[in-house]
Amino acid sequence: MTPDDPLQAPLGDLPGVGPSRAAALASAGLHTVEDLLLRFPLRYEDRGHIVAIASLRPGVATVSGEVLEAEVRPTRRPRFTVFEVTVGDASGTARAVFFNQRFLAQVFRPGQQVVLHGKVEWTSLGAQFQSPQYEFVDVTALSDGDSVHTGRIVPVYERIGPLTPKLQRDLVARALDRLPESITDPLPQEARRARGLPSRREALLDTHFPPEGTSVEVLNAFRTPAQIRLILEEFVLFQLALAEQRARVVTRAKPHRVEVSEATRALARRVLPFTLTPGQKEALRDIVTDLQRPTPMNRLLQGDVGAGKTIVALLAAVVAMANGLQVVLMAPTELLAEQHARTVAARLADTPFRSVLLTGSQRSVARRDALACIASGEAQLVIGTHAVLEDPAIFNRLGLVIIDEQHRFGVGQRARLRSKGALPDVLVMTATPIPRTLTLTAYGDLDVSVIRDLPPGRQPVLTTARPEVRREEAYAFVREQVAEGRQAYVVLPIIEDSDKIDVRAAVSMEADLRAGPLAGLRLGLLHGKLKATEKQAVMQAFVAHALDVLVTTTVIEVGVDVPNASVMIVEHAERFGLAQLHQLRGRVGRGAEQSYAILLFERPLSEDARERLKAMTDTTDGFVIAERDLAIRGPGDMFGTRQAGMPTLRIGDLRRDQDLMTEAHAMARVLMEHLPPDAVSRRLARQAWAGRFNLAQVG
Ligand code: ADP
Ligand code: MG
């Protein structure tokens, strides 16, 4: 945009905005005229149909009149007050009541002109508004047919400190008045025409001051053509920005070549202990196709807990190794890295390939041996935690990096890999199924393969939520299952008794269980404060079925695979997030036996906690859980940090506008293909990455 673009003018230039208002606007992130205009109203109100007070009927209505009386009335209940206003117009009077809003006594004064909008009830004293929306208007404005505030559908903005919705409406009206006839439009005309979308100028006008006849319902659903256009504009810019980021990477050829020969296929078959599911096959095909391309793979493999991502990754690794390349498999915890090392070593036994484990807590001798194996080329597959990539030893023939369970491994870390000069193929795996919109957002720079099926014979985990007072029943059930040869997890939120948080600690819990309800069973204790070797020993004992019950913290949250475990008790389930509960539950139901999850909760339950537990007992489908999680928490919280690559959005709402993000993704693809790199949209998108979307540090 040009420097004299009126949309980029500071808000302080608007008549009526002095330094203090400008500061208040700035505190809400509104600096320029464009900032103000690219902010949707909270909602819309139809003030086009102001009715005479005498004709009020029960229902929703808008009236306009003078405040005749206003007073606070105490009630018989202590600390409960009713504020009562009487409003009159030429036809009659009506009352409005507000509960526990004493401060309104400072707001309403006899003689003011006010518009009331809301639900009308009928009482013995006549028509009464119940906590209506209210707005004071100038007497003169009422007679003015073109009014900004009444006589039409009006936008209602979120209050910013001293800036009332009404004042903001004035400012927006002024800003729109000064809008030039022609403004730069990031959406090319062809794209707009294909979708029947208005120009940017028209969209801004109609979004803030909808033309007569617009449906208030549609407006409040944010689905008028004007609103859709502004949302799409933001999403398309975002998707274009992602595509630009991606274009920077994928155009560079990787230094290695991968081919799939008959010998490679034979090796892969030797690794495979079972038949792949259709979903696994398809994912593997995607991956192997990527490996054979001249540019690096950037693929996300998504699949619910237990879907069998490990074997797919291992087969991809075999293909790379058969081409003389080194492979790194990274896990988020040492526990998981060790588990991978065990299973992978067993699977590779029949092949010429060897794997080594490289972790931070390894003794220096073991570490030196491991590094020597890597350097000599004796080991081709390196398994470890993140620290692995810090070791220069692994960068000599690095062809493939597999990142397991890394929903937190953002664009940033992938960029760091590239900055080390390596252009390996990258496969990111996650069991956190996220809604497609968010996949397009957080992982928009990745290609995505999804395994939607589960290995044959899996039964959904039967899940119940019970108050913790019914704990004894849960333990009795564990004893039953153990008697049938199964194993169980008891999961706790933290590891040590704390004065501040009343959480049953794993340490004392294990002792209590051993002495009490689970006496006679073989119990093990696992938590984050144990030494790595101790953790490993306990985990191995559980895997080998030398233990019946594992009392543990969330260290087992991801990846742990013990198919004989059939029961999980989660203590204080109300404290866990939904994604975390789903991950935890994924530790059972991994074999052919019916499995069970018992979620113990303590009262009182918050509304959110109740919804989380309900989601868990309603379904075991990770995608449904993810949608519910999104609905409960909102997209920001699902990822937490900017590092995960979630943009700052002004107009679009990832919950409300999922469908539009999908559409924007497709539109951006077309634009990338047809527009030259210096086209306005593409230029704006590149600027927006760091500016508007606030993703500068990411990639
Ligand atoms: P996740 O996708 O959660 O990482 P895993 O790769 O750990 O799942 O696999 C879960 C379990 O299912 C493992 O015990 C694995 O051996 C088994 N498994 C994976 N794929 C199949 C298959 N096609 N048939 C039978 N068992 C399978
Ligand atoms: Mg896994």
Side-chain angles (χ1 to χ4, degrees):
M1 293 201 184
T2 50
D4 52 307
D5 182 343
L7 281 170
Q8 300 312 318
L11 282 169
D13 287 2
L14 272 189
V17 181
S20 80
R21 281 180 179 171
L25 288 163
S27 74
L30 307 178
H31 305 278
T32 64
V33 170
E34 184 176 55
D35 293 340
L36 183 72
L37 294 183
L38 286 184
R39 172 170 175 264
F40 273 170
L42 267 185
R43 58 189 167 77
Y44 298 82
E45 244 172 63
D46 188 355
R47 296 190 188 158
H49 303 282
I50 292 180
V51 300
I53 288 178
S55 66
L56 278 177
R57 295 284 170 272
V60 175
T62 312
V63 300
S64 169
E66 185 185 338
V67 176
L68 301 176
E69 271 172 50
E71 61 175 358
V72 178
R73 274 201 292 117
T75 63
R76 247 171 290 166
R77 278 162 58 195
R79 280 180 307 183
F80 185 77
T81 59
V82 176
F83 179 70
E84 205 177 282
V85 181
T86 308
V87 174
D89 68 4
S91 71
T93 64
R95 296 185 321 141
V97 291
F98 301 86
F99 304 112
N100 283 338
Q101 299 187 49
R102 247 174 198 291
F103 68 93
L104 289 178
Q106 318 300 319
V107 176
F108 281 83
R109 305 244 185 246
Q112 285 165 322
Q113 282 292 327
V114 69
V115 172
L116 299 180
H117 172 86
K119 202 166 159 225
V120 179
E121 289 176 345
W122 218 253
T123 71
S124 54
L125 296 170
Q128 174 174 295
F129 280 91
Q130 187 88 259
S131 303
Q133 305 295 327
Y134 58 88
E135 193 168 294
F136 301 103
V137 292
D138 305 330
V139 189
T140 48
L142 279 175
S143 53
D144 178 358
D146 254 350
S147 166
V148 166
H149 304 292
T150 53
R152 59 173 312 139
I153 296 173
V154 298
V156 180
Y157 302 94
E158 186 175 5
R159 194 189 174 93
I160 305 173
L163 310 179
T164 61
K166 184 184 167 205
L167 181 86
Q168 294 182 47
R169 196 180 302 132
D170 267 325
L171 294 180
V172 169
R174 264 173 237 176
L176 289 172
D177 263 351
R178 294 151 52 110
L179 215 55
E181 276 308 312
S182 127
I183 54 177
T184 313
D185 195 331
L187 287 186
Q189 202 178 353
E190 313 81 74
R192 280 198 335 255
R193 200 172 302 141
R195 179 68 164 78
L197 297 171
S199 72
R200 191 170 204 231
R201 184 173 199 281
E202 204 179 322
L204 288 172
L205 290 169
D206 290 358
T207 289
H208 294 283
F209 293 98
E212 215 180 312
T214 314
S215 147
V216 181
E217 284 71 44
V218 178
L219 279 168
N220 280 324
F222 296 89
R223 280 298 176 273
T224 66
Q227 292 166 323
I228 288 177
R229 192 237 119 95
L230 292 182
I231 296 168
L232 272 178
E233 171 188 318
E234 177 164 62
F235 285 0
V236 166
L237 270 186
F238 175 64
Q239 290 295 339
L240 268 180
L242 275 174
E244 293 278 349
Q245 288 290 109
R246 180 145 102 177
R248 282 200 342 218
V249 183
V250 296
T251 49
R252 288 171 61 193
K254 55 194 181 194
H256 55 269
R257 297 278 302 147
V258 172
E259 276 159 21
V260 182
S261 64
E262 199 36 58
T264 307
R265 289 203 183 86
L267 276 173
R269 275 194 292 275
R270 253 190 267 167
V271 168
L272 195 57
F274 32 59
T275 317
L276 293 180
T277 64
Q280 286 172 317
K281 277 187 194 148
E282 206 182 310
L284 184 63
R285 210 173 308 132
D286 289 347
I287 294 165
V288 174
T289 306
D290 282 357
L291 292 177
Q292 292 168 279
R293 278 192 229 280
T295 52
M297 164 168 76
N298 271 295
R299 186 167 288 277
L300 171 72
L301 175 56
Q302 212 179 313
D304 211 343
V305 277
K309 296 180 290 296
T310 318
I311 189 71
V312 173
L314 184 59
L315 290 170
V318 166
V319 171
M321 292 188 290
N323 281 272
L325 297 168
Q326 245 171 16
V327 178
V328 162
L329 169 57
M330 291 195 296
T333 63
E334 294 206 351
L335 206 62
L336 191 49
E338 279 151 12
Q339 176 185 289
H340 279 324
R342 273 197 306 277
T343 49
V344 165
R347 295 261 187 272
L348 290 180
D350 242 4
T351 71
F353 309 124
R354 291 292 162 263
S355 59
V356 282
L357 178 68
L358 198 60
T359 69
S361 65
Q362 246 164 359
R363 288 213 184 83
S364 56
V365 184
R367 201 179 158 73
R368 211 175 312 136
D369 285 352
L371 286 171
C373 279
I374 299 164
S376 70
E378 202 180 312
Q380 300 80 8
L381 177 52
V382 185
I383 300 172
T385 50
H386 271 166
V388 163
L389 286 184
E390 301 306 320
D391 248 303
I394 66 157
F395 281 94
N396 50 12
R397 282 174 305 122
L398 185 59
L400 171 62
V401 173
I402 302 165
I403 301 149
D404 191 19
E405 298 295 359
Q406 278 302 23
H407 25 289
R408 288 173 220 103
F409 191 93
V411 193
Q413 284 100 322
R414 296 197 294 274
R416 205 160 315 138
L417 247 186
R418 294 195 296 271
S419 73
K420 293 217 178 195
L423 283 173
D425 290 300
V426 175
L427 178 65
V428 181
M429 304 199 287
T430 176
T432 307
I434 58 178
R436 180 168 157 76
T437 339
L438 295 192
T439 307
L440 292 178
T441 312
Y443 300 111
D445 64 329
L446 296 180
D447 297 307
V448 180
S449 298
V450 183
I451 304 178
R452 288 195 183 270
D453 45 19
L454 292 175
R458 294 281 172 80
Q459 306 173 51
V461 178
L462 283 176
T463 306
T464 51
R466 293 184 196 164
E468 47 135 20
V469 289
R470 292 176 60 191
R471 174 174 287 121
E472 296 305 320
E473 292 167 36
Y475 296 142
F477 186 68
V478 166
R479 297 192 78 99
E480 268 174 44
Q481 288 283 303
V482 169
E484 286 176 27
R486 306 274 97 76
Q487 289 163 279
Y489 295 99
V490 176
V491 184
L492 298 117
I494 62 160
I495 63 141
E496 270 159 21
D497 276 315
S498 142
D499 298 335
K500 289 198 201 100
I501 328 167
D502 170 29
V503 179
R504 301 184 138 248
V507 183
S508 60
M509 181 83 177
E510 196 249 3
D512 290 353
L513 289 176
R514 191 185 285 280
L518 298 184
L521 305 189
R522 298 168 300 169
L523 266 57
L525 175 63
L526 192 65
H527 59 68
K529 294 260 166 86
L530 290 179
K531 285 203 200 82
T533 49
E534 292 170 325
K535 272 190 234 169
Q536 202 174 344
V538 174
M539 202 59 228
Q540 251 157 9
F542 192 64
V543 171
H545 203 169
L547 293 173
D548 300 310
V549 179
L550 192 60
V551 179
T552 174
T553 61
T554 51
V555 288
I556 58 139
E557 178 182 340
V558 288
V560 169
D561 185 38
V562 181
N564 189 50
S566 64
V567 200
M568 169 171 289
I569 297 179
V570 180
E571 289 278 346
H572 282 288
E574 78 280 0
R575 296 185 186 212
F576 291 91
L578 194 43
Q580 203 176 16
L581 283 174
H582 179 66
Q583 278 284 350
L584 279 172
R585 179 171 57 184
R587 299 312 114 218
V588 294
R590 298 175 82 85
E593 299 299 328
Q594 176 64 58
S595 287
Y596 306 85
I598 304 168
L599 310 177
L600 295 176
F601 61 85
E602 195 168 273
R603 294 199 167 99
L605 274 185
S606 72
E607 192 51 42
D608 280 4
R610 191 183 308 276
E611 278 180 44
R612 290 197 295 269
L613 295 179
K614 179 150 182 354
M616 287 297 292
T617 52
D618 279 355
T619 181
T620 53
D621 183 329
F623 286 89
V624 176
I625 298 250
E627 298 285 354
R628 295 261 200 117
D629 203 18
L630 179 64
I632 297 172
R633 284 200 287 167
D637 288 347
M638 272 187 86
F639 288 89
T641 61
R642 249 206 282 150
Q643 201 184 30
M646 294 299 283
T648 312
L649 295 172
R650 301 200 279 205
I651 295 263
D653 175 327
L654 291 176
R655 262 185 280 192
R656 183 189 65 206
D657 305 325
Q658 304 202 19
D659 51 335
L660 295 181
M661 184 61 95
T662 311
E663 196 178 334
H665 181 72
M667 281 172 90
R669 282 233 155 146
V670 175
L671 294 181
M672 273 302 274
E673 238 170 72
H674 292 101
L675 295 179
D678 61 345
V680 178
S681 334
R682 292 188 57 178
R683 237 182 28 240
L684 284 176
R686 285 193 295 270
Q687 287 166 14
W689 183 255
R692 187 162 159 182
F693 298 126
N694 214 3
L695 290 168
Q697 290 96 318
V698 184

